[in-house]
Amino acid sequence: MAWLLVIVAGLLEVGFAVGLKLSHGFTRLWPTVAFCAFALGSFGLLTLALKRLDVGPAYAVWTGIGAAGTALYGMIFLGDVVSTLKIISITLVIMGVIGLQLSGGIH
């Protein structure tokens, strides 16, 4: 259950990163509200998960999901440049996330 919280928190991290981009420096109301909601949800779930998980693997998985997910979202929906190197790098991040998740113990 704790790892599920980290995964959902990582997905919410994608939401707050995209909301931050779309807020244009907190000058647009609804993207700013979305950023705040996603950020609170993400940090809240990560906080709950850290009661049971080692901080290193849990934090790395959370940031890895957020980084890879945000990069993919940007390429698919925001017109970010797609390149072979980006795809390979995202794949490596995902592989690292899986490895860290498998290595992280539950208390």
Side-chain angles (χ1 to χ4, degrees), residues 28-68:
R28 294 185 174 165
L29 177 62
W30 293 114
T32 299
V33 170
F35 161 78
C36 292
F38 283 122
L40 284 171
S42 182
F43 285 113
L45 292 178
L46 181 62
T47 299
L48 293 174
L50 288 176
K51 290 180 180 181
R52 302 229 18 196
L53 299 173
D54 291 339
V55 69
Y59 184 77
V61 168
W62 177 70
T63 58
I65 291 169

Side-chain angles (χ1 to χ4, degrees), residues 16-90:
F16 83 70
V18 172
L20 186 61
K21 162 87 173 152
L22 298 177
S23 77
H24 290 267
F26 300 122
T27 61
R28 294 185 174 165
L29 177 62
W30 293 114
T32 299
V33 170
F35 161 78
C36 292
F38 283 122
L40 284 171
S42 182
F43 285 113
L45 292 178
L46 181 62
T47 299
L48 293 174
L50 288 176
K51 290 180 180 181
R52 302 229 18 196
L53 299 173
D54 291 339
V55 69
Y59 184 77
V61 168
W62 177 70
T63 58
I65 291 169
T70 301
L72 287 170
Y73 188 95
M75 288 187 287
I76 295 167
F77 298 107
L78 299 177
D80 291 356
V81 175
V82 179
S83 70
T84 302
L85 184 56
K86 276 188 180 180
I87 300 300
I88 291 169
S89 299
I90 290 168

